[in-house]
Amino acid sequence: MQDSNSVGIVTPQFVHIDKPLELKSGSTLSDYHLVYETYGRLNADRSNALLVCHALSGNHHVAGIYADKPKSTGWWDNMVGPGKPIDTDKFFVIGVNNLGGCHGSTGPASIDPSTNHPYGARFPLVTVEDWVETQAQLAEHLGIAQFAAVVGGSLGGMQALQWTLHYPEKVRHAVVIAAAAKLTAQNIAFNDVARQAILTDQDFYGGDYYAYNTVPRRGLRLARMLGHITYLSDHSMATKFGRDLRDGKFSFGYDVEFEIESYLRYQGDKFSDLFDANSYLLMTKALDYFDPANAYDGDLTAAFKVAKAGFLVLSFTTDWRFSPERSRDIVKALLKNNINVSYAEITSAHGHDSFLMNDAYYHQLVRAYMNNIKV
Amino acid sequence: MVTTTPSSTAAELRPDFAAIASWIKADSKILDLGCGDGALLKYLQQERHIFGYGVDIDDGNVLSCLKNGINVIQSDLETGLSGFADDAFDYVILSQTLQAMRRTERIIREMLRVGREGIVSFPNFGYWKNRLQVIRGHMPVSEALPYHWYDTPNIHLCTLGDFEDFCQQCDAKILERRVMQQDRQIRFLPNLMGKLAFYRFERQNKSPRPESRD
């Protein structure tokens, strides 16, 4: 579906980066490619570039549709477009698939040129810091010396934060939505259960399932089902599904009975057809590792000392995976550094997924903040 | 250094802003509690080159602040100021909000924790027109107190005398008081003639305080 203020038909582009990437893990990728999309036009001063960082299961296809796929609307099409809160008439918006992903950028499923087989288990773990470095390479390729803003939700918000720390001169504003400066033990625990589901699937083959012409579908499906539960709120599940039964009565068996079961299984199935299990593992580890305060004895305020950007930090009241408290930790550290920051706690029933939803107050806040960014 | 007096138009429009601005040193760091649409902070930015943040709970106000380009933190003042560090601000302002707060003493103590000085303004319940309405048998309704008894958010109205006693109780040392009636400063019988009261205060005892909770 294409609405009237969509960016319209878009085409992904590729860039090959042959500058070796030294990863935080210690390994090096000699070269890699990134798939990205852009919307709007880079202005003459090259001052209106805005990077959208994606979350765990997102990708470079932020807005618009593909000519040959009428149902291929970008994942943040309600936010990004002409006249939308992130207005492509004003900003030159870039979406990029993160390194290690499975939508076109080099990742575990890509062919390793040194073996002519998919990387699989040999693909190194990458971190939020590594992603920021690859995004900086893309910016250089596009001739962008400084972003007007880096924007992201969840894991994408972590990347926006990292941009302000790693390249304080290269980002004027950061919009950090439903994110955290580090995951809690509970959050890591959810990620590990998801990983265990994949790692213990007998079709996983130590990460080299490509060679066996199979995928750890059951594991990935379970991982997604679990994740999905944590992205919703108790309230939104109760409202959407309640205890509704598909056939109106119990069948006293283990097939789908409750609507919520049907929904989760559908989501799990759909996801396991589209996503690469190794990418999922890698992305969840990137989430777990992120902790910029760690290098400063846990002092987030010290970590933010270098930051120069202005910040908009947003959280959602029913988000228990990335709770408002985590956003307030970020805000507190920013305040202590006398950084320009605004924070809003948006009343929403939809849990973590709220950051993808079309909430009036949420979108008005982003719009208002974006309107005041000078380009 | 900004040495100009507040611009006449803005000062005429909001004499209460001008009164507060007259106490604010240039280039200071300010926290405005219950900041509304951020108009006071914007005014102080223009007149005093301040750097600051507003705090408000209301969605509409937070949005207005963003539209006005004012830093704002959406938070409930009733839960305290735990997001703010000790002595983080030169001034913490509570402009015409105290009377609507439930936890009155706590907010004054929190203001003194995070700021070197506090500034509070409130409608003076002892103003003669208010007294007159009470004598006539009705709760006062006026420009400064525009609500009826049944719809007012103002649950802790007080007079100048009440507030000064209260400051003692909160270990707040009053540094300066200004009483206004429209744009006029009232010096004669202020508790009777003054409509709006402004106080600037600091911690009574500047000696070390108990560790803050955060």
Side-chain angles (χ1 to χ4, degrees):
Chain A
M1 286 285 286
Q2 185 181 349
D3 64 43
S4 58
N5 50 358
S6 163
V7 297
I9 289 166
V10 296
T11 315
Q13 300 169 72
F14 287 86
V15 58
H16 183 257
I17 312 270
D18 52 15
K19 183 182 167 191
L21 178 68
E22 286 178 27
L23 299 164
K24 202 182 173 190
S25 67
S27 14
T28 304
L29 267 179
S30 60
D31 64 324
Y32 55 94
H33 52 262
L34 297 173
V35 59
Y36 65 97
E37 289 178 11
T38 69
Y39 323 106
R41 299 175 73 137
L42 189 60
N43 63 12
D45 295 341
R46 299 175 175 265
S47 63
N48 68 335
L50 184 151
L51 178 67
V52 173
C53 302
H54 70 73
L56 181 57
S57 59
N59 54 43
H60 56 291
H61 184 40
V62 176
I65 59 166
Y66 296 138
D68 53 345
K69 289 185 194 159
K71 282 186 176 171
S72 61
T73 308
W75 59 267
W76 221 9
D77 197 75
N78 61 18
M79 184 66 91
V80 178
K84 288 184 178 170
I86 296 174
D87 190 345
T88 50
D89 289 337
K90 174 176 180 177
F91 294 104
F92 176 63
V93 178
I94 301 157
V96 57
N97 184 212
N98 285 350
L99 182 71
C102 52
H103 293 92
S105 292
T106 302
S110 309
I111 300 296
D112 179 352
S114 65
T115 63
N116 269 334
H117 292 290
Y119 284 97
R122 285 183 313 284
F123 196 84
L125 287 193
V126 296
T127 62
V128 170
E129 291 88 332
D130 298 330
W131 283 332
V132 166
E133 190 50 46
T134 61
Q135 290 158 0
Q137 294 299 321
L138 174 61
E140 201 176 305
H141 166 74
L142 294 171
I144 294 156
Q146 186 189 59
F147 284 112
V150 179
V151 182
S154 191
L155 179 56
M158 288 175 164
Q159 293 160 61
L161 280 183
Q162 183 59 30
W163 261 98
T164 70
L165 303 178
H166 193 60
Y167 286 115
E169 313 288 345
K170 292 190 174 186
V171 51
R172 297 203 298 280
H173 294 272
V175 180
V176 179
I177 307 167
K182 63 178 175 198
L183 293 195
T184 57
Q186 186 195 48
N187 209 330
I188 294 170
F190 280 121
N191 281 342
D192 195 49
V193 176
R195 283 191 294 267
Q196 286 299 313
I198 295 168
L199 295 168
T200 58
D201 186 320
Q202 54 187 0
D203 286 332
F204 183 62
Y205 292 104
D208 290 320
Y209 45 86
Y210 315 100
Y212 298 84
N213 259 329
T214 185
V215 290
R217 201 166 184 282
R218 280 162 296 182
L220 186 55
R221 177 173 178 267
L222 281 176
R224 184 58 176 179
M225 287 170 76
L226 172 71
H228 210 88
I229 296 167
T230 69
Y231 304 147
L232 303 177
S233 70
D234 187 24
H235 178 84
S236 64
M237 273 201 199
T239 312
K240 202 167 172 184
F241 308 104
R243 291 179 51 85
D244 292 354
L245 294 164
R246 274 182 74 182
D247 298 328
K249 58 179 178 14
F250 293 156
S251 57
F252 297 96
Y254 298 114
D255 286 338
V256 169
E257 292 185 85
F258 291 94
E259 287 290 358
I260 182 63
E261 296 173 319
S262 165
Y263 173 78
L264 278 181
R265 290 177 197 198
Y266 170 76
Q267 290 294 334
D269 287 339
K270 196 172 75 171
F271 189 75
S272 58
D273 287 337
L274 297 172
F275 212 85
D276 180 63
N278 279 322
S279 288
Y280 198 82
L281 291 172
L282 175 151
M283 299 269 174
T284 60
K285 282 307 268 191
L287 274 163
D288 293 0
Y289 289 141
F290 187 64
D291 182 8
N294 191 41
Y296 300 87
D297 289 330
D299 184 353
L300 189 61
T301 305
F304 272 118
K305 204 156 243 159
V306 295
K308 290 195 162 78
F311 283 78
L312 175 64
V313 180
L314 302 175
S315 72
F316 299 91
T317 49
T318 52
D319 184 351
W320 54 283
R321 188 86 196 252
F322 289 79
S323 69
E325 210 181 335
R326 299 286 76 76
S327 288
R328 287 196 295 263
D329 293 340
I330 297 168
V331 171
K332 197 169 179 174
L334 294 169
L335 287 169
K336 283 190 179 170
N337 281 298
N338 294 332
I339 287 170
N340 280 307
V341 52
S342 285
Y343 169 65
E345 209 163 292
I346 298 154
T347 303
S348 165
H350 301 291
H352 187 54
D353 268 354
S354 299
F355 85 92
L356 298 167
M357 305 268 178
N358 205 347
D359 176 273
Y361 177 49
Y362 169 38
H363 279 199
Q364 283 165 353
L365 290 167
V366 175
R367 182 185 295 276
Y369 192 81
M370 289 296 155
N371 280 346
N372 280 327
I373 294 179
K374 291 183 186 73
V375 297
Chain B
M1 272 296 282
V2 179
T3 50
T4 52
T5 49
S7 63
S8 57
T9 42
E12 277 163 24
L13 243 53
R14 292 295 301 258
D16 54 331
F17 285 9
I20 290 170
S22 71
W23 283 344
I24 303 280
K25 292 197 183 85
D27 303 313
S28 49
K29 191 180 165 194
I30 295 196
L31 185 65
D32 183 9
L33 305 176
C35 64
D37 62 4
L40 174 60
L41 281 169
K42 193 155 198 170
Y43 179 78
L44 293 174
Q45 272 179 7
Q46 285 156 6
E47 304 299 336
R48 290 290 182 267
H49 278 197
I50 61 101
F51 174 76
Y53 305 92
V55 178
D56 211 288
I57 183 68
D58 179 72
D59 287 358
N61 285 338
V62 171
L63 180 59
S64 295
C65 284
L66 280 195
K67 286 181 178 168
N68 286 327
I70 296 297
N71 293 325
V72 62
I73 308 296
Q74 186 160 29
S75 174
D76 184 1
L77 294 179
E78 300 286 4
T79 63
L81 302 175
S82 61
F84 299 94
D86 294 356
D87 286 318
F89 296 92
D90 297 311
Y91 304 94
V92 181
I93 301 171
L94 188 65
S95 168
Q96 303 202 46
T97 301
L98 181 71
Q99 75 278 359
M101 290 203 59
R102 264 196 325 275
R103 308 189 63 178
T104 325
E105 180 167 347
R106 177 167 174 188
I107 196 66
I108 298 289
R109 289 189 182 277
E110 281 284 83
M111 288 172 75
L112 291 171
R113 178 180 67 78
V114 304
R116 277 182 271 287
E117 290 186 8
I119 294 174
V120 160
S121 72
F122 58 87
N124 173 27
F125 201 75
Y127 179 49
W128 69 271
K129 280 189 180 173
N130 294 340
R131 298 188 195 199
L132 194 63
Q133 288 189 54
V134 173
I135 288 169
R136 283 176 173 164
H138 290 284
M139 287 299 284
V141 178
S142 66
E143 197 191 333
L145 294 170
Y147 301 96
H148 299 96
W149 67 271
Y150 51 84
D151 62 10
T152 183
N154 298 328
I155 52 174
H156 285 137
L157 291 160
C158 67
T159 68
L160 271 57
D162 291 334
F163 184 74
E164 286 166 25
D165 291 346
F166 180 64
C167 280
Q168 282 219 317
Q169 188 186 318
C170 300
D171 302 316
K173 180 178 153 197
I174 294 169
L175 299 169
E176 214 170 336
R177 179 182 82 181
R178 181 173 293 194
V179 184
M180 307 278 290
Q181 147 69 312
Q182 310 296 62
D183 55 350
R184 261 182 321 116
Q185 197 171 336
I186 302 295
R187 292 191 171 83
F188 176 65
L189 295 176
N191 202 18
L192 192 62
M193 307 304 286
K195 204 150 115 184
L196 270 183
F198 300 79
Y199 286 87
R200 185 164 68 86
F201 52 87
E202 64 179 10
R203 271 192 298 279
Q204 181 72 262
N205 196 343
K206 281 276 190 178
S207 61
R209 294 161 286 109
E211 284 289 299
S212 74
R213 293 165 313 268
D214 44 283

